[in-house]
Amino acid sequence: PTSYIITTYIATRATMINLPTSVEGITEETKRAFKAFDLQKTIEQATLAVSCSDLSAIQAIQLPSECTDFPDGRLSCKGRDMEGAVTLDWRADPFTSMSDLTLLVYDGSGSGGVPYYVHTLLLVHGGRKSGFVIEQVKLQNNGKRSDYKIELYLPPLAAKHIPAFLNYVYGKELKITTSNAPPLRYLANRFDLRDLYKDISTKFIPRDLEIGTAPMYCKLADELKDYELRDRAIKLMAERMDKLNINSVKHLSPRLMRSLVQCEKLECSSEDLSEKVATWLRLRRELEQARDEALIGANTTAVDESRNASSTRKDDDETMTDEDFYWLTHVQFMPRIAPSEALFYLKFGSQFPQVMKEVGSGSLKPRCLAAFSGKWAVDKLAEHVESKHAKPFDLYEDLDLASKVELLEASLVGAKKLLTEKDEASKQRVIKDKDAKRSDDIMYKTNHESSSSSSPADKILKVVVMGCGIQPANGIYIYKESGLDERTSSGSSKLISNNNNSTIVYEKEAIWNQKRVTFVLYPTTAGQYYSQHKLAVRQRNSHKMQTLYNSPTVMGLSGVIPELAWEVEGDNMEGIHPPPQFVGKIEQPPAKSWNQSLTHSV
C-alpha cells in the first residue's frame, strides 16, 4: 500500500529530520497531523486505492497546508517538527532532498562520471518510472538502500541531455524539438520509458522529419548510433536529392555523405549530383580550414604540431580519405560530370592520387576530360586563351602543366567532334527540307488531281494532319476505299469498314528519309464498344505498315476521328516526336452550293 511505502521511505531517513524511528510512531504522528485537517477519511481511502506504481494517484492526495505539491512535480513538506522543507528534487543537496539513488553517468571523455542524486520513489514507483532503473535496483537489493548506485556509459550527446530527461521524470513539462528529439529518444529507450519513447518516435518525429530537418536528424542519430532513425533521414534526403539544399548537409561526415550518394533511393541526375557533391566538397574544405586555423590559434606555441594536425586526424571520422572520395565520385552513381565542375574535380582530386591514377573510361580523370571536351568547356577555355585578363579562368591556371596539356588535347578532340556533329546536323536538315518540299509538291499535285477528276456533286473526303514530328506526314490525306487489308495492318485490332465492306482509309504520298512512302490514317476497334485511329507509314510497293501514332480511344464504331490527344506508338524510334497536335476532317460544301460557285466563277 502507498502508506506503507511512504512511511517506510521516511523511516529510513528519520534520523535526518528528528522524526520517530518506528513505523508505528510515524503512522500515528501522520494520522494526528492529517486529522487536524479532517483528512483521515481521505487518507484511508487513498491507502486502499492507490497503487505504488502510480505517481499521479499519489499526487492526487490532498495534502495539508504544511505540504505543497508544486506543478513541476516537486513535493515539499513542512512538518511540525521540521526546521526546513524536504523537496524531491534531483538538483538539490542529496542529504536535504533525502536522495537514495546515485546515477553515475560517463560520456567517454575520460573526465570521470557525473553523479546525479535521484530518488527511487520517482524512478522506481512513479508514474514516469524507469524499467531499467527497476531492474538495476532489484540486482542491487541488499537491504542497504543508501548504497544504491547505477553506472551509465552514454554517448556525449545523450549525456548532455540527462538533466532535461530527469526534469521530465520529476514531472516537468518536456519541450521536444528537432535538436533534442534524437537524444531524448535514445534516453527513453535506454531507461525504458515507453510512453516517452512512443511520443517521440510515433508522434513528434513523423511530423517533424522532412527535407529541411533530415540532415540534423541524420547527424545526431549517427552520433547516438541510432541507425534506424539515421537511415530514415538518409532515405528521405536521397528521395528528394534534387530539392536538397547542400548547405544544410555540410556538417555531415564523409561517411554519411557516402551513404547518401550510395542510397538505393537516390533520385538525382548524374550531372546534378556531380554539382551537389562538388559544392559539398568545397563547404567541407572551408570547415576543415576553419578548424585548422582554430587549432593554430589555440596552440600558438606549438605551431609545428598544429601544422601536422591533418596527420593526427587520420582516424577522425570528419577527415576525407581516398576511399571516401572514390565512392563519392564513383561511376556507378556519377557516370557523367557536369562540364562546369570538371576542373574542380581534377584540382581537388590531386589530394587523392590513388583515385586519380586509376585507368579506364570509368575512372574519374577520363570522365572529367570527357566533360571538359563539350561545347561549354571549349568555349570557356577559348575565351580565356584569347583574353586571359578579360576572361580569367583560375581553375585552369591553377592546374599543373601536365593537366593543362591533357585538357587542351581533350578540348581539341571535343572541338573536332562538335564540328563533325554540326556538319552532320546540317546535312540532315538539308535532307529533311528537301523531303518536306518534295512531299508538299506531291500533296498539291494529288489534291489537284483528285479534285479535278471528281464531279462537283461528289463529296470528296479529306483529312488534315498538323503538328507531328515527321514533317512529311503533315498535310492533306485523301480518302481511299480499297487499299488496306486487315492482315497487313499492325496490331491485333480489327479494322472498321463502311457499308460496302471497304476499309475507311486516308492516304498521303510523301518522301521520308529520301524514300517514297505512303502515310496511312485508318480506324480500328479497341474492344467491343470502342474505336481508335492509327497513323502508320507504308514503304512503296509493300503492304507492311509501321504504326507511328495512336489516337485516344472513343466510344462507338462510327469512325469519328479524335482531333486532339494523339500519342506516339513507342519510344524505340527517333525523330517522330511530337505526335500530331490536330487531326480533323476537311468539310466540303454541299453539291448545290458547289455548282453555283462554279457557275458564278465562269
Side-chain angles (χ1 to χ4, degrees), residues 30 162 426 499:
T30 304
I162 281 288
S426 178
N499 296 331

Side-chain angles (χ1 to χ4, degrees), residues 373-440:
S373 64
K375 184 178 185 304
W376 178 90
V378 172
D379 292 344
K380 181 82 173 176
L381 184 58
E383 290 176 357
H384 173 69
V385 173
E386 290 175 354
S387 179
K388 293 185 177 181
H389 296 290
K391 301 289 184 180
F393 200 1
D394 294 339
L395 280 175
Y396 172 76
E397 294 296 341
D398 292 340
L399 293 174
D400 57 86
L401 183 60
S403 297
K404 289 182 178 180
V405 171
E406 289 179 325
L407 281 175
L408 289 173
E409 292 175 348
S411 299
L412 181 61
V413 173
K416 180 182 177 182
K417 183 179 179 181
L418 290 174
L419 289 175
T420 302
E421 292 176 351
K422 186 176 180 179
D423 292 342
E424 184 65 25
S426 178
K427 291 179 181 178
Q428 291 296 324
R429 187 163 52 252
V430 171
I431 291 173
K432 288 182 178 180
D433 290 343
K434 288 182 178 180
D435 288 349
K437 185 178 184 305
R438 293 176 63 188
S439 298
D440 288 343

Side-chain angles (χ1 to χ4, degrees), residues 484-496 503 522-528 530-534 545 547 550 553 557 569:
L484 188 62
D485 185 77
E486 183 177 343
R487 292 172 299 175
T488 63
S489 64
S490 61
S492 59
S493 302
K494 294 184 178 180
L495 303 176
I496 298 178
T503 305
Y522 64 95
T524 63
T525 60
Q528 187 175 0
Y530 296 89
S531 63
Q532 183 182 41
H533 277 73
K534 294 179 179 289
M545 295 195 307
T547 303
N550 295 320
T553 56
L557 305 177
E569 168 72 11

Side-chain angles (χ1 to χ4, degrees), residues 74-262:
R74 291 181 298 140
L75 183 65
S76 178
C77 298
K78 286 187 177 181
R80 291 174 299 169
D81 298 327
M82 296 180 184
E83 295 181 357
V86 179
T87 303
L88 293 184
D89 186 356
W90 65 269
R91 298 179 182 273
D93 180 83
F95 182 81
T96 58
S97 69
M98 301 173 63
S99 171
D100 58 349
L101 174 63
T102 303
L103 298 179
L104 195 58
V105 177
Y106 297 89
D107 63 0
S109 62
S111 59
V114 178
Y116 295 91
Y117 302 101
V118 295
H119 305 81
T120 56
L121 179 63
L122 295 179
L123 273 77
V124 176
H125 304 294
R128 296 171 177 176
K129 61 185 178 181
S130 165
F132 169 76
V133 174
I134 292 173
E135 292 299 322
Q136 293 297 313
V137 169
K138 287 180 179 179
L139 293 175
Q140 299 182 31
N141 194 4
N142 55 6
K144 298 180 180 180
R145 297 174 64 93
S146 60
D147 295 332
Y148 286 164
K149 178 189 294 185
I150 299 176
E151 294 185 348
L152 286 167
Y153 296 86
L154 303 176
L157 181 61
K160 179 182 177 182
H161 286 80
I162 281 288
F165 176 77
L166 290 178
N167 285 341
Y168 168 80
V169 173
Y170 275 69
K172 287 188 176 181
E173 181 181 357
L174 184 61
K175 184 178 181 181
I176 303 175
T177 64
T178 302
S179 60
N180 68 18
L184 289 176
R185 167 184 150 104
Y186 176 92
L187 291 174
N189 182 60
R190 183 68 181 273
F191 279 86
D192 193 14
L193 265 69
R194 300 183 183 182
D195 289 342
L196 178 60
Y197 183 85
K198 181 179 179 181
D199 288 341
I200 296 175
S201 301
T202 64
K203 295 181 182 179
F204 179 79
I205 291 180
R207 294 195 306 265
D208 189 59
L209 181 57
E210 46 90 27
I211 190 64
T213 59
M216 179 177 291
Y217 274 107
C218 179
K219 184 177 186 301
L220 298 180
D222 186 70
E223 290 182 29
L224 298 165
K225 293 182 172 54
D226 188 347
Y227 301 128
E228 187 270 336
L229 180 58
R230 180 200 66 184
D231 292 344
R232 281 173 58 188
I234 289 177
K235 179 182 177 182
L236 176 62
M237 289 188 289
E239 290 175 340
R240 302 183 61 185
M241 188 68 174
D242 56 334
K243 305 294 184 182
L244 183 66
N245 182 1
I246 292 299
N247 192 62
S248 66
V249 298
K250 66 180 181 181
H251 292 288
L252 293 186
S253 65
R255 176 176 53 81
L256 290 178
M257 193 63 185
R258 276 175 51 186
S259 299
L260 176 58
V261 171
Q262 294 176 282

Side-chain angles (χ1 to χ4, degrees), residues 462-465 561-563 582-586:
K462 299 179 181 180
V463 171
V464 62
V465 175
I561 303 176
E563 296 181 347
F582 177 82
V583 178
K585 290 183 178 181
I586 299 177

